[in-house]
Amino acid sequence: MRIGILGYGNLGRGVECAVAQNDDMELVGVFTRRAPGSVKTVSGVPVFHADELANMQDQVDVLILCGGSATDLPEQTPEYAKLFNVVDSFDTHAKIPEHFAKVDASAQAAGKTAVISVGWDPGMFSLNRLYANAILRDGNDYTFWGKGVSQGHSDAVRRISGVKNAKQYTIPVDAALASVRACENPQLSTRQKHTRECFVVPEEGADLERIEAQIKNMPNYFADYDTTVHFISEEELLRDHAGIPHGGFVLRTGRTGKDGEHNHVIEYSLKLDSNPEFTACVLAAYARAAYRMNQRGMSGCKTVFDVAPADLSPLSGEEMRAQLL
Amino acid sequence: MRIGILGYGNLGRGVECAVAQNDDMELVGVFTRRAPGSVKTVSGVPVFHADELANMQDQVDVLILCGGSATDLPEQTPEYAKLFNVVDSFDTHAKIPEHFAKVDASAQAAGKTAVISVGWDPGMFSLNRLYANAILRDGNDYTFWGKGVSQGHSDAVRRISGVKNAKQYTIPVDAALASVRACENPQLSTRQKHTRECFVVPEEGADLERIEAQIKNMPNYFADYDTTVHFISEEELLRDHAGIPHGGFVLRTGRTGKDGEHNHVIEYSLKLDSNPEFTACVLAAYARAAYRMNQRGMSGCKTVFDVAPADLSPLSGEEMRAQLL
């Protein structure tokens, strides 16, 4: 199948690498709203202006949308679902119903297949919540994130005056994880689930105490957490904190038996060196599914819940049953 | 939907309890080849002779087959797929292709939907192998089982002369798990992955040294493992080893990026107090899917790979997207 990438940041570059790992996919090109000549791709694949897409409907089977959830995807996914099968990683949980409705209207009308909110959360974590809830009907759900870099929280720290650069890590609390795994079914406050750790490069002469207090008391972002602030040099930040790792844990504990006498723990976890590259791999797998579902006449907006696992795999049914079942 | 249970051992009792946890399911009855009067159900649901099933096609939407994989299911699943939508937990990996073909022929001809090999391995573990392989294309797979009771190995020990009773635990080796999680991509021998621990009740005056040697040298079952043998009293066995716990780990580690410079770990694990009750919960969820898929005209033999996750959940699409995505 022939793949196009719209948007060429960390995620777009990740998709470029992911497509190269899949023999049944061919990358047609990267599409950008910037001047194509200013964009250099990792693999040397051609770069086109996004406006070219309207003329390339017969050359692209699935368009993978690699823009951001704040402003790009709410416009792009409904728009491009009129022309292509599309996959996006829309992750503003509260706005998914609205996004779904808009994309569904476009895709249905055009007979295209659009899979939204693909990645790891939403995405693989969502799937694990669904499977675990369908199996253990009487139980409790827990999702922990990290250890990993939160872009939003890093940005929030950078906006403080006197801060030159910063990186923020979200870290799950070990004791909380242990309690969940022991089937103690704890009710956990925000503070009990995660801690936050900030590595901050201050501007010369900045008031470090004021910066630290401003971080720790920032509403929504930090006030409800135990936060540690480390002041370091720009050199240290680039040397020790250049990566974009992330991950997390989805757990469900539940009871079965006549009187709920047996406990069970289902746990799914990810430990990712590169958050965008992993998300990109999930997008590539769902691009395969979007293409196949469209070929079977299943059009409209879908989520990971609607996609049969077999549609993600390059293997045939016989191979899957022999090798993976 | 109206559920029937065929076969009433540990698994059948588990399904009885699982159905009671699902508001959209009603248990019509337990079907057995024994004298119905001799079977007492946990919930008091009626017991019928298996022969009655032929007359009850209009009263059962999905028949959950709770027999064994050795002799029951190879006959029962193809037979009953002619009359009902069915779900089974057939777990003889090597014979799945043959079982699939037979069940598919019956179910296709009758317009019924049959989901085979449902449980946790095959089942949830298989699904996790498939998802992880579809995402991380360049990587390695690992499955560890335990800590848990292996029925087959316990039976093998019980067959040794001088053994009155026995229970065998399969235990994953912590160092092997740690190496996998550290992305060291180890090549692990049988001995390096699992150890085996046996709790044996000897008959009075039995030669303990001979029994221990016979266990440890038993080909296929124990010879390739480091095995520990504990001799205990029948009282201790009943007090400390009455349960049927199990579980395990499915991991895939993989590389992404231009030169495979980033490592990722996907891990799924189960810790189960009751192996049959958990398997029963998975069967109940897939009974829901079998019913829905049949209503949409999707007949024939399916595995967990062919079932869209949404079909397992009692929630509507809107509810799922709002609560779980």
Side-chain angles (χ1 to χ4, degrees):
Chain A
M1 62 211 73
R2 300 163 305 168
I3 305 289
I5 293 172
L6 177 60
Y8 197 65
N10 285 330
L11 186 59
R13 274 190 294 275
V15 171
E16 185 183 7
C17 295
V19 167
Q21 289 185 324
N22 285 282
D23 296 339
D24 59 344
M25 297 182 187
E26 178 206 336
L27 186 57
V28 174
V30 163
F31 298 84
T32 176
R33 284 168 303 180
R34 292 180 269 168
S38 72
V39 174
K40 210 177 136 33
T41 57
V42 173
S43 62
V45 74
V47 181
F48 303 92
H49 193 275
D51 291 347
E52 296 287 320
L53 277 168
N55 313 315
M56 293 177 71
Q57 266 193 278
D58 58 346
Q59 292 168 58
V60 173
D61 294 315
V62 185
L63 184 65
I64 302 184
L65 305 174
C66 296
S69 294
T71 55
D72 299 331
L73 299 176
E75 297 210 342
Q76 288 175 353
T77 315
E79 183 187 336
Y80 287 102
K82 293 174 186 163
L83 303 173
F84 298 97
N85 301 313
V86 296
V87 183
D88 82 16
S89 62
F90 185 77
D91 66 359
T92 313
H93 281 84
K95 293 189 178 168
I96 287 175
E98 182 189 339
H99 190 59
F100 183 93
K102 279 188 195 167
V103 174
D104 194 46
S106 293
Q108 291 275 11
K112 299 297 181 187
T113 306
V115 191
I116 63 161
S117 301
V118 168
W120 59 274
D121 197 2
M124 298 312 297
F125 275 18
S126 322
L127 272 180
N128 277 280
R129 286 187 283 261
L130 187 146
Y131 277 117
N133 271 271
I135 295 168
L136 294 177
R137 299 294 299 132
D138 178 19
N140 293 290
D141 291 301
Y142 298 90
T143 300
F144 293 86
W145 294 276
K147 181 180 178 176
V149 172
S150 162
Q151 214 58 52
H153 286 78
S154 299
D155 290 345
V157 175
R158 278 190 217 105
R159 282 193 296 265
I160 293 173
S161 82
V163 171
K164 200 174 162 196
N165 207 341
K167 207 106 181 205
Q168 192 271 182
Y169 294 90
T170 305
I171 305 168
V173 174
D174 281 339
L177 263 170
S179 172
V180 171
R181 288 181 182 135
C183 295
E184 294 170 355
N185 296 300
Q187 296 246 353
L188 297 165
S189 67
T190 299
R191 192 177 300 276
Q192 286 171 317
K193 287 186 73 183
H194 298 93
T195 56
R196 298 196 176 277
E197 191 170 21
C198 304
F199 292 86
V200 179
V201 182
E203 284 171 0
E204 227 183 278
D207 179 347
L208 304 189
E209 268 182 51
R210 191 257 310 156
I211 291 174
E212 181 163 344
Q214 237 178 307
I215 294 173
K216 290 186 171 177
N217 297 315
M218 197 186 296
N220 302 318
Y221 285 89
F222 293 99
D224 298 334
Y225 299 85
D226 290 333
T227 302
T228 313
V229 178
H230 308 278
F231 290 100
I232 61 173
S233 67
E234 181 94 49
E235 208 173 21
E236 287 170 302
L237 190 82
L238 295 175
R239 186 190 66 204
D240 302 333
H241 304 283
I244 322 175
H246 220 315
F249 303 82
V250 174
L251 298 111
R252 184 167 173 87
T253 56
R255 291 159 292 279
T256 66
K258 187 168 182 285
D259 304 305
E261 63 274 28
H262 292 130
N263 283 303
H264 306 273
V265 184
I266 304 175
E267 176 168 347
Y268 180 80
S269 70
L270 295 173
K271 202 170 71 190
L272 313 175
D273 272 1
S274 166
N275 183 352
E277 286 181 7
F278 186 83
T279 300
C281 290
V282 186
L283 284 166
Y286 279 90
R288 178 180 290 117
Y291 177 68
R292 290 182 180 170
M293 291 169 82
N294 189 259
Q295 290 207 312
R296 291 204 300 275
M298 298 170 78
S299 60
C301 189
K302 313 289 176 191
T303 72
V304 292
F305 299 151
D306 305 305
V307 177
D311 276 331
L312 303 172
S313 174
L315 301 179
S316 71
E318 290 75 16
E319 289 169 329
M320 266 181 259
R321 289 191 292 273
Q323 296 170 32
L324 299 170
L325 194 62
Chain B
M1 63 211 74
R2 300 163 305 170
I3 306 289
I5 293 172
L6 177 61
Y8 197 67
N10 285 331
L11 186 58
R13 275 189 292 275
V15 171
E16 184 182 8
C17 294
V19 167
Q21 290 186 323
N22 285 282
D23 295 339
D24 58 346
M25 296 181 187
E26 178 206 336
L27 187 56
V28 175
V30 163
F31 298 84
T32 176
R33 287 168 302 179
R34 292 180 269 168
S38 72
V39 174
K40 211 178 135 36
T41 57
V42 173
S43 62
V45 75
V47 181
F48 303 91
H49 194 275
D51 291 347
E52 296 288 320
L53 277 168
N55 313 315
M56 292 177 72
Q57 267 192 276
D58 58 345
Q59 291 168 58
V60 174
D61 294 314
V62 186
L63 183 65
I64 302 182
L65 305 174
C66 297
S69 295
T71 55
D72 299 331
L73 298 176
E75 297 210 342
Q76 289 177 352
T77 314
E79 182 188 336
Y80 288 102
K82 293 174 187 164
L83 303 174
F84 298 97
N85 301 313
V86 296
V87 183
D88 82 15
S89 62
F90 185 77
D91 66 359
T92 313
H93 281 83
K95 294 190 177 168
I96 287 175
E98 182 189 339
H99 189 59
F100 183 93
K102 279 189 195 165
V103 174
D104 195 46
S106 293
Q108 291 276 10
K112 299 296 181 186
T113 306
V115 191
I116 63 161
S117 300
V118 168
W120 59 274
D121 197 0
M124 298 311 296
F125 275 18
S126 323
L127 272 180
N128 276 279
R129 286 187 283 261
L130 187 147
Y131 277 117
N133 271 271
I135 295 168
L136 294 177
R137 300 293 299 131
D138 178 19
N140 293 291
D141 291 300
Y142 298 91
T143 300
F144 293 86
W145 295 275
K147 183 181 178 176
V149 172
S150 163
Q151 213 57 52
H153 286 78
S154 299
D155 290 345
V157 175
R158 276 190 218 106
R159 282 193 295 266
I160 293 173
S161 80
V163 171
K164 199 175 162 195
N165 206 343
K167 207 107 181 207
Q168 192 270 180
Y169 294 90
T170 305
I171 304 169
V173 175
D174 281 339
L177 263 169
S179 171
V180 171
R181 288 182 183 134
C183 294
E184 294 170 356
N185 296 300
Q187 296 246 354
L188 297 166
S189 67
T190 299
R191 193 176 298 276
Q192 286 171 318
K193 286 186 73 182
H194 298 94
T195 56
R196 300 198 177 278
E197 191 170 21
C198 304
F199 293 86
V200 179
V201 182
E203 283 171 1
E204 227 182 282
D207 178 347
L208 304 189
E209 267 180 50
R210 192 257 311 156
I211 291 174
E212 180 163 346
Q214 237 179 304
I215 294 172
K216 290 186 172 176
N217 298 315
M218 196 185 297
N220 302 318
Y221 285 89
F222 292 100
D224 298 335
Y225 299 85
D226 290 334
T227 302
T228 314
V229 177
H230 309 275
F231 290 100
I232 61 174
S233 67
E234 180 94 49
E235 209 174 18
E236 287 170 302
L237 190 83
L238 295 175
R239 186 190 64 204
D240 303 333
H241 304 282
I244 321 175
H246 220 313
F249 304 81
V250 174
L251 296 111
R252 185 168 172 86
T253 56
R255 292 159 292 279
T256 66
K258 186 167 182 286
D259 304 305
E261 64 273 29
H262 292 130
N263 283 303
H264 306 273
V265 184
I266 304 175
E267 176 169 346
Y268 179 79
S269 70
L270 296 173
K271 203 170 71 192
L272 314 174
D273 272 0
S274 165
N275 183 352
E277 286 181 7
F278 186 83
T279 300
C281 290
V282 185
L283 284 166
Y286 279 91
R288 177 181 289 118
Y291 177 67
R292 290 181 179 171
M293 290 168 83
N294 189 260
Q295 290 207 311
R296 291 203 300 275
M298 298 170 78
S299 60
C301 188
K302 313 288 176 191
T303 73
V304 293
F305 299 151
D306 305 306
V307 177
D311 276 332
L312 302 172
S313 173
L315 301 180
S316 71
E318 290 75 15
E319 288 169 329
M320 267 182 258
R321 290 192 291 274
Q323 296 169 30
L324 299 170
L325 194 61

